[in-house]
Amino acid sequence: MSRKVIVLGEVRNGELRNISFEGIAAAKTVAEGGEVTAVLMGESVRGLAPQMIHYGADRAVIVEDPKLAAYTPDGFSQALLAVIDQVKPEAIIFGHTALGKDLSPKMASKLGAGLISDAVAIEAEGDNIIFTRPIYSGKAFEKKIITDGVLMASIRPNNIPPLEKDVSREGGIFAVSADINDLRTVVREVAEKAVQDVDLSEAKVIVSGGRGVKSAEGFKPLMELADVLGGAVGASRGACDAEYCDYSLQIGQTGKVVTPDLYIACGISGAIQHLAGMSNSKVVVAINKDPEANIFKVADYGIVGDLFEVVPMLVRELKALLIKA
Amino acid sequence: MNIYVLLKRTFDTEEKIVISGGEINSDGAEFIINPYDEYGVEEAIQIRDSQGGEVTVVSVGSGDAEKQLRTALAMGADKAVLINIEDDLEIGDEFTTAKILAEFLEDKEADLIFAGNVAIDGGSGQVGPRVADLLGIPYVTTITKIEIEGRDVNMIRDVEGSSETIEASLPLLVTAQQGLNEPRYPSLPGIMKAKKKPLEELEIDDLDLDEDDAAAKTKTIDIYLPRNKEGGRILEGEPQDQVKELINLLHSEAKVI
Ligand SMILES: Cc1cc2nc3c(=O)[nH]c(=O)nc-3n(C[C@H](O)[C@H](O)[C@H](O)COP(=O)(O)OP(=O)(O)OC[C@H]3O[C@@H](n4cnc5c(N)ncnc54)[C@H](O)[C@@H]3O)c2cc1C
Ligand SMILES: Cc1cc2nc3c(=O)[nH]c(=O)nc-3n(C[C@H](O)[C@H](O)[C@H](O)COP(=O)(O)OP(=O)(O)OC[C@H]3O[C@@H](n4cnc5c(N)ncnc54)[C@H](O)[C@@H]3O)c2cc1C
């Protein structure tokens, strides 16, 4: 059953986030041969639209307005409603990112539709599209279908691989104008807290520190390791509570839920709330001086030792290899 | 200030999940107030204490949720409402819950509504924004700070590591993020007082809502546990050798670097 699908692309610092391309791959599965329209909204986004087509969208719709310079639920929902009005999609795909989490329930409510949040896998089966999503913060999974109305879902970053980029792909780029007014929330200021280049939810590699890191200073070797591996730094709540790092780095049941290819836990005991946030990572490495630590139960590879000895050694070895290669 | 807090009863974070007969088995499990809703209760109490007004906590669920509502009363909330759906509704989803809450809140003239940014069991994060939309009021999600002056509200919103300063005015719905405050523990006098505070129990029939209008739009067709990881491999030898072996394994066996 083919469906007309729209997928919302996301722009950050003037570039498309990877989730945009993952969204296109998800939209393709849902579309089952139907047309996939990528939507970009912002102050100036036209230049980014061709990339959405290179990654598999059939065409792109842009909504440009100075009032869309910063995300607000009112501004973005009005713009997206204008697009929906023209395209008349049967399905809509969002990223389960800060923006998508905030906007998708409002859109679902406006359309009187069901929404499946935080999908990690999508498959077409008969007339149904089946979405898999974690529940109980990753301690279990459920498979869900939409039974009524427009099919809406938000997908978790890093789980649905994007399609191969093909710069020879072509497709139309259309502008839709929207009347955007009466913004009831106003963004006055944005302060970048994290000085990380790689976002935790999108990182392929995460080096995470716990109370065993002992101080803010102690995170330095972990940052170096993340750096050589092109990854991001995360933390346990233990480390955040002890003020070694910011809460925005917290991974777990009341923090971020992450699924990188490689998760390196340093000085983290492996409390059940922490495991909920990371145990679905593809490969887990644990470095802990306590051989009985719970974290070893979910680790593919474990090193029993002092992280202040092991982590710098890892950095040195990896650097040496990089120079050779 | 007329403040409402949406409160969900949820599994304790310490609980392991067991599935029997295709459902999550809750026998013997401990339940708590969803941690993010606890931030909402705390913040609501603080705002009431400084600005006057009333805090009402409201939960949609079964009779069991009474315990969590009493805890919120013991923390300092003034009133509790339990919308007991046990006998009326068999299936429901985020839309159903939001619809019920919005129907209840419709004529309450709430100035400020707190929800959690996500429930740690269902995990959709939909209910807050959906309720705001159904009520036709604005919302701000994942806030870590809120200040109210007259009808003006200033907030800090956590957005994947950066923070936005946001302005809005009442009436408003906000969803709480970790860092908003440190929820208090109920005190002994608080617990005693809570026993006498009003806890109203409603059913769907008490709301102006046709069950069909709240019918779920999604359906769960399967629930399962993630496959168990096989016992990991603890590396041996001198630290230097372990590090070398690890890099080797990550490269050639796991193929992640
Ligand atoms: C409602 C609730 C929600 C929670 N949510 C979360 C959450 O989202 N995320 C989360 O992480 N936690 C969460 N927690 C907290 C959780 O229960 C644990 O307290 C926390 O994860 C412990 O952090 P930790 O592993 O860093 O510290 P600890 O448990 O203290 O472990 C430190 C580890 O470091 C090791 N170590 C010490 N020194 C060294 C060294 N030099 N080299 C190597 N290893 C060393 C020790 O052997 C130990 O295993 C939550 C708790 C509650 C009640
Ligand atoms: C009749 C009925 C039957 C249901 N049957 C099932 C079932 O079989 N299996 C199942 O897994 N779920 C069931 N649910 C629950 C439903 O699917 C969602 O879990 C629920 O609507 C909330 O979604 P969430 O857990 O993702 O919460 P989120 O949207 O993540 O919650 C965010 C915030 O919304 C507020 N909130 C959420 N739920 C409530 C509530 N109940 N009361 C007050 N405030 C709330 C809280 O402030 C919470 O922090 C049923 C619901 C109803 C109404």
Side-chain angles (χ1 to χ4, degrees):
Chain A
M1 195 166 98
S2 84
R3 297 176 187 82
K4 222 195 263 185
V5 185
I6 68 176
V7 50
L8 186 63
E10 275 190 51
V11 184
R12 189 204 269 152
N13 300 329
E15 284 179 38
L16 285 170
R17 297 181 66 175
N18 215 32
I19 186 70
S20 315
F21 312 134
E22 297 170 0
I24 295 170
K28 286 275 198 195
T29 305
V30 174
E32 294 191 77
E35 188 180 53
V36 172
T37 302
V39 181
L40 294 178
M41 310 194 285
E43 186 168 19
S44 158
V45 291
R46 181 178 284 270
L48 299 170
Q51 269 193 72
M52 294 298 276
I53 291 165
H54 297 161
Y55 274 98
D58 297 305
R59 54 182 202 145
V61 166
I62 56 169
V63 190
E64 294 186 310
D65 194 305
K67 291 195 189 109
L68 299 174
Y71 168 79
T72 58
D74 284 339
F76 271 54
S77 62
Q78 289 169 27
L80 193 54
L81 277 175
V83 175
I84 290 167
D85 202 43
Q86 296 228 335
V87 179
K88 305 210 168 16
E90 291 147 274
I92 309 177
I93 302 292
F94 298 84
H96 199 65
T97 54
L99 189 155
K101 284 181 210 173
D102 193 89
L103 181 62
S104 59
K106 183 177 178 85
M107 296 309 299
S109 179
K110 289 246 171 294
L111 301 176
L115 166 65
I116 293 172
S117 298
D118 204 17
V120 294
I122 305 178
E123 59 203 306
E125 204 184 281
D127 278 348
N128 283 325
I129 299 292
I130 301 172
F131 297 87
T132 304
R133 64 185 296 272
I135 48 177
Y136 296 85
S137 324
K139 290 177 186 171
F141 285 84
E142 66 175 350
K143 286 189 190 280
K144 259 188 133 171
I145 55 171
I146 304 249
T147 49
D148 182 24
V150 178
L151 220 139
M152 296 179 72
S154 65
I155 61 162
R156 177 183 291 196
N158 246 347
N159 281 268
I160 296 168
L163 306 173
E164 202 72 47
K165 181 175 180 176
D166 174 0
V167 292
S168 69
R169 271 183 66 90
E170 287 179 17
I173 297 171
F174 307 89
V176 164
S177 64
D179 266 336
I180 296 166
N181 42 49
D182 190 26
L183 302 185
R184 296 169 299 175
T185 62
V186 182
V187 182
R188 282 286 169 231
E189 202 186 307
V190 181
E192 299 281 341
K193 253 195 294 174
V195 279
Q196 294 209 80
D197 296 336
V198 188
D199 189 80
L200 261 184
S201 60
E202 287 186 336
K204 297 280 180 216
V205 177
I206 294 176
V207 181
S208 208
R211 230 188 305 256
V213 170
K214 298 208 170 62
S215 64
E217 189 72 13
F219 263 93
K220 285 234 171 89
L222 275 61
M223 287 174 192
E224 280 178 39
L225 181 56
D227 240 21
V228 254
L229 293 168
V233 170
S236 72
R237 171 142 155 199
C240 300
D241 281 345
E243 294 182 13
Y244 304 163
C245 60
D246 194 85
Y247 275 115
S248 61
L249 300 190
Q250 183 182 318
I251 289 164
Q253 196 154 7
T254 50
K256 297 209 163 62
V257 178
V258 296
T259 39
D261 292 343
L262 175 59
Y263 187 91
I264 306 180
C266 313
I268 294 178
S269 61
I272 185 165
Q273 296 96 343
H274 188 77
L275 301 189
M278 47 63 69
S279 58
N280 295 310
S281 303
K282 277 170 213 121
V283 174
V284 175
V285 172
I287 302 166
N288 195 305
K289 65 180 187 189
D290 173 9
E292 300 297 320
N294 204 40
I295 190 79
F296 287 121
K297 293 204 183 110
V298 299
D300 298 274
Y301 308 112
I303 293 185
V304 177
D306 181 355
L307 73 93
F308 294 106
E309 184 181 7
V310 174
V311 175
M313 242 181 227
L314 265 170
V315 174
R316 276 199 302 276
E317 284 294 326
L318 283 165
K319 275 192 179 154
L321 282 173
L322 279 178
I323 291 165
K324 262 196 239 160
Chain B
M1 182 107 42
N2 189 12
I3 311 174
Y4 281 81
V5 183
L6 313 183
L7 183 152
K8 188 177 187 190
R9 166 186 186 261
T10 173
F11 268 63
D12 192 321
T13 57
E14 289 287 344
E15 294 292 341
K16 291 215 166 69
I17 301 301
V18 178
I19 292 173
S20 41
E23 281 181 31
I24 305 278
N25 186 337
S26 59
D27 291 350
E30 293 284 332
F31 286 84
I32 55 171
I33 299 176
N34 181 43
Y36 295 100
D37 305 352
E38 232 177 358
Y39 298 126
V41 175
E42 175 63 38
E43 200 67 20
I45 294 169
Q46 289 186 20
I47 293 171
R48 179 210 53 204
D49 287 348
S50 70
Q51 317 223 351
E54 195 174 70
V55 175
T56 310
V57 285
V58 46
S59 192
V60 176
S62 66
D64 295 332
E66 192 177 323
K67 183 156 175 238
Q68 283 67 38
L69 288 171
R70 285 276 174 221
T71 304
L73 291 173
M75 287 171 74
D78 301 290
K79 295 196 309 196
V81 178
L82 170 63
I83 305 173
N84 193 334
I85 49 164
E86 227 169 354
D87 298 334
D88 299 322
L89 290 173
E90 191 76 34
I91 39 178
D93 64 1
E94 300 87 351
F95 168 78
T96 315
T97 304
K99 192 85 183 166
I100 295 169
L101 285 166
E103 201 55 52
F104 167 76
L105 289 162
E106 189 67 33
D107 58 357
K108 299 294 182 291
E109 294 183 354
D111 295 303
L112 183 60
I113 303 173
F114 280 96
N117 88 73
V118 70
I120 60 166
D121 50 1
S124 74
Q126 292 184 25
V127 171
R130 273 187 185 270
V131 167
D133 187 71
L134 289 167
L135 293 173
I137 64 173
Y139 63 88
V140 178
T141 55
T142 57
I143 63 158
T144 55
K145 192 176 176 189
I146 180 165
E147 279 170 356
I148 303 169
E149 255 191 70
R151 303 298 288 174
D152 296 333
V153 189
N154 264 294
M155 285 151 286
I156 304 275
R157 171 169 185 250
D158 166 59
V159 192
E160 290 168 356
S162 53
S163 54
E164 296 180 348
T165 307
I166 298 198
E167 281 176 22
S169 41
L170 301 175
L172 179 70
L173 182 146
V174 294
T175 76
Q177 172 67 308
Q178 181 171 44
L180 182 61
N181 53 45
E182 276 297 328
R184 70 193 68 189
Y185 290 101
S187 65
L188 202 55
I191 294 169
M192 298 312 287
K193 264 195 229 159
K195 290 186 178 150
K196 297 200 193 82
K197 288 182 180 172
L199 193 157
E200 185 184 9
E201 195 166 322
L202 300 176
E203 293 187 1
I204 294 294
D205 283 348
D206 299 316
L207 303 174
D208 188 17
L209 181 68
D210 192 338
E211 277 166 38
D212 290 345
D213 292 340
K217 295 179 182 294
T218 59
K219 189 171 146 196
T220 298
I221 55 173
D222 191 18
I223 295 183
Y224 60 96
L225 298 178
R227 76 179 161 82
N228 258 345
K229 280 224 158 173
E230 312 204 340
R233 176 148 147 213
I234 304 287
L235 307 182
E236 299 193 346
E238 291 299 309
Q240 187 72 32
D241 301 328
Q242 293 187 28
V243 164
K244 285 208 166 109
E245 194 187 349
L246 176 63
I247 292 176
N248 201 6
L249 287 166
L250 291 177
H251 183 70
S252 19
E253 188 179 88
K255 298 193 168 52
V256 286
I257 58 171

